[in-house]
Amino acid sequence: MHYLTIDGIVRKLWNADAEAYADHLLRLDPASRRNRFGGAVADQFIRSHADQAFDPTNVIYGFLADGVLRGAAELRPFGAGQAEAAFSIEKPWQSHGVGTELLERVLLAARNRGVKLLHVTCLSENQRMQQLARKFDAELRRDFDSVVGEVEAPYPTPLSVLREMIADGTGLATALLDAQSRLLKRA
């Protein structure tokens, strides 16, 4: 972990982060929004997506710079031993290691949840996502106007579970301290 070349933290997002997640998705430039959702989507669709994204079976990691959510990765399990990962990073934070860090966290979470095959689908012109998937040895194949990458996750180990627990504990403590700091500034 720790591939970031700019200041910020990566942590698991919680239900309380739903508004920040929606705000992040709404800030995406048109090309990044199209890449994230596979086409043009309305603001209301994004708000609805952010509200539903925190289903208990999903795991979402976020990249925060100066306390503002600037990137995110969703892990959505489906079927037996399979999950989909989706990424969104605001333009100024792209190509700085954010995607690498987020994908590493998603792979760890997938591994620890018994996911054997992680699917990453992107538009065929989304070279940045394809390059990221290749970095993690994804098998890429074309599917009409999309590219589907598949990454095999290894079996969980006590060490992989411990790594996630430590990262989640640190992230939760950071989130709580940030919330307390914001409350104190208002007072």
Side-chain angles (χ1 to χ4, degrees):
M1 287 192 237
H2 309 298
Y3 295 99
L4 296 178
T5 58
I6 57 176
D7 287 336
I9 63 162
V10 173
R11 68 168 175 82
K12 188 178 280 183
L13 300 182
W14 310 96
N15 285 335
D17 296 307
E19 185 177 339
Y21 185 50
D23 292 344
H24 155 67
L25 293 172
L26 290 167
R27 279 193 303 272
L28 293 174
D29 65 279
S32 297
R33 186 186 282 200
R34 183 175 186 279
N35 283 338
R36 167 57 184 86
F37 292 102
V41 294
D43 289 357
Q44 187 53 43
F45 174 87
I46 288 177
R47 286 185 191 92
S48 176
H49 173 81
D51 286 341
Q52 297 170 8
F54 290 89
D55 178 278
T57 61
N58 299 338
V59 179
I60 305 175
Y61 286 96
F63 166 74
L64 293 95
D66 296 322
V68 179
L69 185 62
R70 300 297 185 174
E74 290 182 48
L75 174 68
R76 290 178 170 259
F78 68 90
Q82 297 188 64
E84 178 184 27
F87 299 83
S88 56
I89 301 168
E90 295 174 32
K91 197 157 193 82
W93 288 269
Q94 294 176 4
S95 299
H96 293 287
V98 174
T100 299
E101 184 73 16
L102 288 170
L103 182 51
E104 185 169 287
R105 295 287 181 98
V106 164
L107 281 169
L108 180 63
R111 173 185 192 175
N112 290 338
R113 284 156 183 79
V115 172
K116 296 308 307 158
L117 197 57
L118 182 66
H119 301 267
V120 179
T121 303
C122 65
L123 297 172
S124 58
E125 65 264 19
N126 190 347
Q127 295 299 314
R128 185 173 274 131
M129 188 66 233
Q130 292 170 46
Q131 182 181 19
L132 177 61
R134 278 190 204 96
K135 189 185 286 191
F136 287 85
D137 298 323
E139 293 287 328
L140 300 178
R141 64 178 164 76
R142 287 209 175 284
D143 186 22
F144 298 105
D145 64 344
S146 299
V147 173
V148 178
E150 295 178 340
V151 180
E152 289 187 32
Y155 289 102
T157 64
L159 183 57
S160 71
V161 172
L162 182 62
R163 282 180 58 210
E164 185 177 0
M165 287 173 55
I166 290 170
D168 287 354
T170 303
L172 181 58
T174 301
L176 292 172
L177 289 172
D178 286 346
Q180 183 180 23
S181 175
R182 284 192 304 273
L183 288 173
L184 290 173
K185 285 181 184 177
R186 289 183 195 162

